[in-house]
């Protein structure tokens, strides 16, 4: 591939630079995936998982929390009881309601 870089404008050179950076990144990602697949296959052939051999555990996937409380004015507005209390929950508590009154 012969490309006369001296004949290109600054914009064309920057576009080319961007394309080259993307191509390099894509190539590296492909090679990493191929290497990982090869290592997993080799570990499996030997009766292990790659995580067992490297001591790395897979990240724990969390499921969304279940709604425990619902806004009496709008039942679609719910809260799981985790994190910051929603304004409607705090206002209901200030008015003398109990959490059990707002339970789903």
């Amino acid at each position: 591939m012969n490309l006369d870089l001296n004949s290109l404008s600054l914009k064309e050179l920057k576009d080319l630079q961007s394309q080259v950076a993307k191509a390099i990144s894509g190539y590296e990602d492909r090679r990493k995936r191929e290497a990982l697949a090869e290592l997993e296959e080799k570990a499996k052939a030997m009766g292990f998982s790659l995580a067992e051999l490297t001591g790395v555990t897979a990240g724990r996937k969390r499921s969304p929390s279940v709604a425990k409380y619902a806004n009496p004015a709008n039942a679609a507005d719910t809260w799981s009881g985790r994190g910051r209390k929603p304004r409607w929950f705090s206002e209901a508590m200030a008015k003398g309601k109990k959490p059990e009154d707002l339970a789903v």
Side-chain angles (χ1 to χ4, degrees):
M1 175 174 154
N2 291 334
L3 187 62
D4 184 18
L5 298 177
N6 293 326
S7 67
L8 298 177
S9 70
L10 180 60
K11 182 182 181 319
E12 291 171 328
L13 287 170
K14 288 190 180 218
D15 288 342
L16 182 61
Q17 181 182 26
S18 173
Q19 291 173 4
V20 169
K22 287 179 186 175
I24 290 171
S25 176
Y27 179 81
E28 289 173 343
D29 290 343
R30 254 190 335 274
R31 293 289 294 154
K32 285 178 185 177
R33 282 194 305 271
E34 290 170 1
L36 184 60
E38 189 176 320
L39 291 173
E40 286 174 343
E41 188 177 305
K42 181 73 172 174
K44 187 176 180 182
M46 299 180 84
F48 299 101
S49 71
L50 190 57
E52 287 176 319
L53 296 175
T54 59
V56 177
T57 58
R60 190 179 98 171
K61 303 246 179 183
R62 294 185 182 189
S63 60
S65 55
V66 178
K68 293 182 182 178
Y69 306 103
N71 184 351
N74 179 4
D77 194 7
T78 60
W79 180 49
S80 67
R82 295 182 182 173
R84 188 174 178 187
K85 292 178 187 171
R87 182 173 289 137
W88 57 264
F89 188 85
S90 299
E91 289 171 358
M93 294 298 107
K95 290 179 182 176
K97 292 207 175 200
K98 296 180 182 175
E100 297 83 35
D101 298 336
L102 302 172
V104 175

